[in-house]
Amino acid sequence: MRVAVVVALSAAVAGCVSSPVDYGASLSQQDPKWASTECEQARLAASNYAASEKEHPGWGFGVLLGPYSMGMVAAAKEHEQQQRRLLARQMHLQCSSQPLPKELDFDPAIYAPKKAKYP
């Protein structure tokens, strides 16, 4: 039951963050930062991430492996969402002079890997 709830919530949340490539396309190309080298690198990183995201098997693969793998698939989708947010935030900072939108105004350290504490 718990896995089903996690999967349902993850599926709902996964759709909330658009692709960084789509977000970059929504930014103004008239902005002076758009032509910068940093912006070009951010757009390239977003494009590379979008291509790599299409290469993995996704939800169907988890269904084939059984109900216990759905937790792993949900964790992978959560990680993808975090990466999308980080890339969109980075792209906004590098390509736009406008202040960060509310959904991208967060501390990027919250998504940094945590140090494991082993007993």
Side-chain angles (χ1 to χ4, degrees):
M1 178 66 175
R2 186 179 297 171
V3 172
V5 172
V6 169
V7 170
L9 289 175
S10 295
V13 172
C16 295
V17 179
S18 65
S19 165
V21 174
D22 294 339
Y23 181 76
S26 72
L27 296 174
S28 172
Q29 295 181 8
Q30 306 303 322
D31 195 300
K33 284 182 147 184
W34 182 263
S36 71
T37 304
E38 293 84 8
C39 179
E40 186 178 323
Q41 290 173 348
R43 292 192 313 259
L44 180 63
S47 177
N48 290 341
Y49 179 76
S52 70
E53 198 174 55
K54 292 178 183 176
E55 292 176 0
H56 61 79
W59 286 103
F61 184 68
V63 172
L64 291 176
L65 293 178
Y68 297 109
S69 65
M70 293 305 288
M72 292 187 302
V73 172
K77 287 293 181 183
E78 176 67 23
H79 179 72
E80 287 176 0
Q81 178 192 15
Q82 292 172 354
Q83 291 302 310
R84 285 187 201 123
R85 284 188 76 196
L86 286 169
L87 285 169
R89 183 180 195 282
Q90 186 65 24
M91 185 174 298
H92 186 90
L93 291 172
Q94 299 299 326
C95 300
S96 178
S97 300
Q98 300 295 319
L100 279 169
K102 186 177 180 181
E103 64 271 6
L104 297 178
D105 191 15
F106 61 90
D107 180 14
I110 61 174
Y111 294 140
K114 312 299 187 273
K115 288 191 175 187
K117 295 181 181 177
Y118 297 107

